Amino acid sequence: MDDVRRGRLRVYLGAAPGVGKTYAMLDEARRRAERGTDVVVALVETHGRAGTAALLDGLEVVPRRTVEHRGTTLTDLDVDAVLARHPEIALVDELAHTNAPGGRHAKRWEDVEDLLAAGIDVVTTVNVQHLESLNDVARAITGVRQQETVPDAVVRRADQIELVDMSPEALRRRLAHGNVYAAETVDAALTQYFRVGNLTALRELALLWTADRVDDALEAYRTAHGISDPWPARERVVVAVTGGPETETLLRRGARIAAQSAGGQLLAVHVLRGDGLRGAPPDALARQRLLVEQLGGTWHTVVADDVAAAVLEVARGVNASRIVLGVTRRSRLAQALSPGVGTEVIRDAGDIDVLVVTHPHAGGRRFRRPPRRGTLTGRRRLLGWGLAVAGPPALALALDAATTWDTLSIALMLFLALTVGVALVAGLVPALVAAALGGALSNVLFAPPVGTWSITEPRNALAIVVLVAVAVGVSAVVDLAARRTAEAARARAEADTLAATAAASLGGEDPAGAALEALREALRLRRVVAQRRAAPAAPWVDVATAHAPAAGAAPGAALDAAPGAGPGAVPHDGPDDGPTEVPVTDALRLVLTGRTPPPHEVRLARAVGLQVEAVLERDALRVEAGTARAERERGAMRTALLAAVSHDLRTPLAAIKASVSALRSLGDAIPADERTALLGDAEHNADRLQHLVDDLLDMSRLDAGVVVPRRAPVALDEVVPAALAGVPEGAVDVDVPEDLPLVTVDAALLERALANVVENAVRYGGAPVRVSAGQVDDVVVVRVVDHGPGVPDDRKAAMFTAFQRLDDAPRGHGLGLGLAVARGFVTADGGTLDAEDTPGGGLTMVLTIPLDGGGA
């Protein structure tokens, strides 16, 4: 079977439930069947929609496999039957579905893979919120986590993907007309999941995901056909970033260009030199990278020796339509010696448009050259100047004593060696002095006529000129090599420091403090403080600090400030050069205390400060996200409450009103037994209404966080009977030993929680329900056991969510708050409430309750 052609996969991707994916799939199947194609319906879910079910007429349907699971009959895709039938095309609905137990695979998309491997073409459907990569995003939008997902790679491998879309208003009209869900669920659906904002966001997600898939297909086509020239299907703007002061101007210009067309993209490309030497300051690059993110673009770093070739390679690789460059900052002399990156990009760009943007920094030097003196000690500079001034005369005297040698040639070689040595020790300027002195002394002392400045032999004159030229050239090369070595060492040290601070800022309880500590150790400072302010005129406030341990203190011990010192004060146990303020952003600065850092260390500190700023922003965003999530959950609860009130509270009120109206209008004309029944019905519905209101009030108290338990030692055998007061007689078997130790709880809260759990078990699990208790270690465990249909493992967590009814329980059975209130009360009391399967079938609710500290 190795030569079997793999089947083709076609996916109808829905922007939201109800947009018509299954309808479109069946419509395609009917068209293909009319053309003579062998099409079967392997599995299609109509969800009771008449229009969808009508399209099944005339299509061959493969029988489903039947599974008995926990007393429920389930039907699912029969893969073996489809493989045995082996049609040309099989329709398989709901690709992300989880299969019933006993099948080939756990997920339906795995069954589809088997059909494709057997050479059967498959047409399937899936909603965008079921894609694995978008699951969390969809949950953040809708407040609902999809339990069933499909890997993106499965859908991306499809031969064809067709987006099934509908405007939010049109979809809501379909729901309102009852074309999607049953009439009794429409109001809740419209006010919860199918809000206009939710549908608009899901629609945008589907469009963006599909657009990326189209980009992949276009790139695959270009690669397969060897097309290297860009096809500007959409505006992609590549901005060449140098890290210089003009970069922000270029990025903003590129962002404006990209925004002029729908779906435009901004890509910033920074080329690092392959020799490892530092180019742009790291703090400048960090600020520019942040700006790119704020503009909605992406940052790309490339290592290459040829900057122009690297920029063009990236532009062609992303199918860019335009490249943005800045006017060169090189001097006219430098431009005359080499064309520059901009000229090379324009020359080789081909069909890609190149925009050269002017800026205030054009025509200047790229970066200031670091001073040489900063890399040499004072002793080394003094030694170098001594060699440059005294070395040539001393060498000349030594050579003058060797009268038997061909002293001119030897003198020239030795003076050259001395000049190179001076360059190695002290740099270019002393080497130039040594070269000039060596040339002059060679002329006066060793070139005939000796003792004069004149030279009779042209070759001697040429030799001396060559000496000076070679000495100057070698000195320049040696000096440049020394500078590059120092820069490379400094760049490596800065990279190591940044890597250490980045690693420190990724974990731990105080990531900002850990990053500052890594910086303090690297720069050998006594104290580093990060300070923030809320506004330009606001005072600075310490937000993170790192300081050296006191002399003799244990490793990691803190250094205490002097008595009476203000915020950010530094302990005075040794001399220092005073604090150095390093501005990072308008709202953040670092204060370095100890020795005064040189400029390159200040630059490094600023880069670390940007990391600290990112850490602080991340923490702030995490707090904001938590607050937003809590507010979203409260909003969802309020929306669900309104939907629930419109149904559940209306029913008992209507019954009470009907009974009272009949009694008031007819009065004694109603027979006594019917009056009694009406009064009983009104009383029963009033009790139901009271129970619903109590649950709503309890849930609102829990949501507001105002439930404060009043714990005291309580005997459990006194609490359980009170909790069962409202349960029909004989519905519960109780096994609570009297010798159980006391539990430290709020008796009222525990009673309400037990009452809700038991009532829920009696209502859905059937009688008899067993309530038992026993001691396990330092807790008392109460079990409420029923033998009803039970709850699947993947739905147990949802049981404790407010306004949830499992298995589509009918209205009139409460608001779905009982277990949510019960868990809230038990948690407030310091216990836990969980659900387990009952051996033999059913559900067991397990309450763990803390004991009194003194025991029984």
Side-chain angles (χ1 to χ4, degrees):
M1 299 294 290
D2 293 339
D3 57 348
V4 173
R5 176 192 68 87
R6 180 176 172 83
R8 297 174 61 84
L9 177 64
R10 181 182 178 90
V11 177
Y12 283 95
L13 177 65
V19 295
K21 305 179 303 300
T22 304
Y23 192 97
M25 178 178 68
L26 289 171
D27 186 56
E28 178 190 350
R30 293 180 68 87
R31 292 196 307 270
R32 294 200 182 191
E34 290 172 359
R35 294 197 297 266
T37 306
D38 183 15
V39 182
V40 302
V41 177
L43 186 143
V44 166
E45 300 288 357
T46 64
H47 298 290
R49 299 165 189 165
T52 304
L55 291 178
L56 287 171
D57 293 341
L59 294 175
E60 179 183 349
V61 179
V62 176
R64 303 187 185 189
R65 67 183 180 93
T66 302
V67 179
E68 295 292 334
H69 181 63
R70 294 180 177 175
T72 304
T73 301
L74 304 175
T75 62
D76 212 335
L77 172 65
D78 192 338
V79 181
D80 294 327
V82 178
L83 291 173
R85 172 65 176 75
H86 206 282
E88 293 181 51
I89 300 175
L91 307 186
V92 181
D93 207 3
E94 299 183 357
L95 183 64
H97 181 74
T98 300
N99 290 332
R104 281 190 171 207
H105 305 288
K107 303 291 289 189
R108 185 167 293 166
W109 63 264
E110 296 175 298
D111 294 338
V112 168
E113 287 293 322
D114 287 352
L115 299 181
L116 294 172
I120 302 173
D121 293 347
V122 176
V123 183
T124 187
T125 65
V126 70
N127 282 328
V128 68
Q129 70 267 23
H130 293 288
L131 295 173
E132 184 65 48
S133 66
L134 300 180
N135 188 252
D136 289 341
V137 180
R139 180 190 181 187
I141 294 170
T142 63
V144 178
R145 173 174 283 281
Q146 301 295 333
Q147 300 296 330
E148 297 179 328
T149 60
V150 59
D152 290 47
V154 173
V155 182
R156 286 189 181 276
R157 285 198 300 268
D159 299 277
Q160 298 180 54
I161 298 177
E162 182 169 335
L163 178 64
V164 183
D165 189 18
M166 183 178 291
S167 70
E169 294 76 11
L171 181 54
R172 286 171 59 85
R173 283 197 299 271
R174 289 196 65 195
L175 264 76
H177 294 160
N179 296 331
V180 179
Y181 295 135
E184 62 269 16
T185 64
V186 169
D187 288 346
L190 288 173
T191 57
Q192 296 179 50
Y193 191 92
F194 289 87
R195 297 194 298 270
V196 173
N198 287 1
L199 297 177
T200 303
L202 289 173
R203 190 184 192 194
E204 182 178 9
L205 273 181
L207 290 170
L208 291 174
W209 194 92
T210 308
D212 287 341
R213 173 62 173 80
V214 172
D215 279 346
D216 293 342
L218 177 60
E219 188 60 32
Y221 180 86
R222 294 175 68 236
T223 301
H225 291 76
I227 301 173
S228 59
D229 294 334
W231 285 4
R234 64 164 125 171
E235 193 77 59
R236 288 187 178 89
V237 181
V238 170
V239 179
V241 175
T242 64
E246 81 285 355
T247 299
E248 294 185 5
T249 302
L250 303 185
L251 290 174
R252 290 190 172 92
R253 176 66 65 86
R256 290 197 298 270
I257 295 172
Q260 290 173 359
S261 64
Q265 291 181 336
L266 172 68
L267 301 94
V269 177
H270 175 62
V271 181
L272 285 176
R273 295 175 55 176
D275 55 11
L277 300 177
R278 186 185 68 239
D283 56 321
L285 291 176
R287 287 196 303 270
Q288 291 159 10
R289 185 169 193 155
L290 179 62
L291 176 61
V292 171
E293 294 174 355
Q294 293 171 347
L295 294 173
T298 56
W299 180 279
H300 304 267
T301 300
V302 180
V303 179
D305 294 324
D306 190 335
V307 176
V311 171
L312 288 171
E313 183 179 358
V314 172
R316 293 192 179 98
V318 300
N319 202 18
S321 57
R322 192 170 308 191
I323 298 174
V324 177
L325 303 173
V327 174
T328 182
R329 286 180 282 125
R330 302 163 69 236
S331 66
R332 293 184 179 181
L333 177 60
Q335 294 179 54
L337 295 175
S338 64
V341 174
T343 303
E344 294 179 5
V345 170
I346 294 172
R347 182 189 63 204
D348 300 331
D351 294 335
I352 305 176
D353 295 338
V354 179
L355 175 63
V356 181
V357 179
T358 187
H359 52 84
H361 307 281
R365 298 191 61 179
R366 183 167 185 175
F367 297 110
R368 290 189 176 182
R369 192 174 187 178
R372 174 64 174 163
R373 62 180 296 178
T375 63
L376 299 175
T377 64
R379 182 177 180 181
R380 184 171 171 179
R381 288 197 299 271
L382 183 60
L383 176 61
W385 277 107
L387 286 175
V389 174
L395 181 58
L397 291 176
L399 290 173
D400 189 50
T403 57
T404 59
W405 295 354
D406 182 5
T407 52
L408 178 59
S409 59
I410 295 176
L412 294 177
M413 295 176 61
L414 293 178
F415 279 128
L416 178 59
L418 177 63
T419 302
V420 173
V422 172
L424 289 172
V425 173
L428 181 60
V429 176
L432 294 178
V433 173
L437 287 176
L441 291 173
S442 297
N443 179 25
V444 173
L445 299 179
F446 306 109
V450 176
T452 67
W453 290 99
S454 60
I455 303 175
T456 58
E457 293 288 338
R459 61 180 183 179
N460 293 339
L462 179 61
I464 294 174
V465 171
V466 170
L467 163 68
V468 176
V470 171
V472 170
V474 171
S475 299
V477 171
V478 170
D479 178 71
L480 180 61
R483 288 176 182 273
R484 295 305 190 199
T485 301
E487 289 178 3
R490 184 179 302 160
R492 183 168 58 252
E494 290 180 4
D496 292 343
T497 302
L498 288 174
T501 56
S505 64
L506 292 177
E509 298 180 357
D510 183 16
L516 294 183
E517 176 62 22
L519 175 65
R520 187 199 65 77
E521 292 180 351
L523 301 187
R524 303 181 305 281
L525 299 172
R526 298 180 58 239
R527 184 181 180 94
V528 179
V529 180
Q531 297 179 336
R532 298 188 79 178
R533 60 182 178 184
W540 292 97
V541 179
D542 294 358
V543 292
T545 183
H547 45 74
L559 192 63
D560 298 328
V570 180
H572 298 285
D573 62 347
D576 57 52
D577 296 337
T580 301
E581 296 180 359
V582 179
V584 179
T585 64
D586 292 339
L588 180 73
R589 72 178 182 183
L590 299 183
V591 180
L592 315 180
T593 304
R595 63 185 182 85
T596 300
H600 70 275
E601 291 186 355
V602 171
R603 196 163 49 242
L604 175 62
R606 190 176 292 114
V608 174
L610 289 171
Q611 291 182 349
V612 172
E613 174 77 1
V615 170
L616 297 175
E617 289 292 337
R618 181 190 65 193
D619 293 343
L621 289 174
R622 185 183 293 114
V623 173
E624 291 179 7
T627 303
R629 182 167 55 253
E631 181 59 32
R632 185 170 61 251
E633 292 173 354
R634 285 194 290 269
M637 182 174 293
R638 287 191 291 267
T639 301
L641 172 61
L642 292 175
V645 166
S646 67
H647 290 83
D648 294 88
L649 298 186
R650 186 185 302 166
T651 301
L653 282 173
I656 293 171
K657 180 176 177 60
S659 299
V660 173
S661 297
L663 289 170
R664 182 177 180 183
S665 60
L666 300 178
D668 294 339
I670 302 176
D673 56 342
E674 292 186 9
R675 286 201 305 271
T676 301
L678 287 173
L679 289 172
D681 188 50
E683 183 179 14
H684 171 70
N685 282 285
D687 291 339
R688 282 182 56 199
L689 186 60
Q690 179 66 44
H691 182 72
L692 294 173
V693 171
D694 287 343
D695 277 348
L696 286 172
L697 291 176
D698 290 338
M699 200 66 228
S700 65
R701 290 169 60 204
L702 289 169
D703 183 51
V706 297
V707 176
V708 180
R710 299 177 180 177
R711 296 190 180 95
V714 177
L716 199 60
D717 60 337
E718 298 176 359
V719 176
V720 173
L724 303 181
V727 180
E729 186 176 355
V732 180
D733 293 334
V734 180
D735 180 15
V736 180
E738 296 182 357
D739 59 350
L740 279 177
L742 300 179
V743 292
T744 304
V745 294
D746 184 317
L749 295 183
L750 179 58
E751 180 184 325
R752 285 295 311 281
L754 277 171
N756 283 359
V757 172
V758 173
E759 288 175 8
N760 189 79
V762 171
R763 179 180 300 145
Y764 297 106
V769 172
R770 179 176 177 80
V771 178
S772 62
Q775 181 180 357
V776 178
D777 297 329
D778 58 349
V779 297
V780 169
V781 179
V782 179
R783 295 181 178 271
V784 180
V785 183
D786 69 59
H787 296 279
V791 177
D793 291 340
D794 59 351
R795 302 295 304 278
K796 285 186 173 65
M799 294 171 53
F800 300 99
T801 303
F803 309 108
Q804 295 292 320
R805 295 185 182 88
L806 299 184
D807 300 325
D808 298 323
R811 296 282 178 183
H813 285 267
L815 296 174
L817 289 176
L819 293 180
V821 170
R823 173 173 273 188
F825 283 169
V826 172
T827 302
D829 241 346
T832 60
L833 174 60
D834 298 293
E836 298 177 355
D837 292 331
T838 301
L843 189 69
T844 298
M845 305 299 292
V846 182
L847 291 82
T848 60
I849 307 169
L851 290 173
D852 178 38

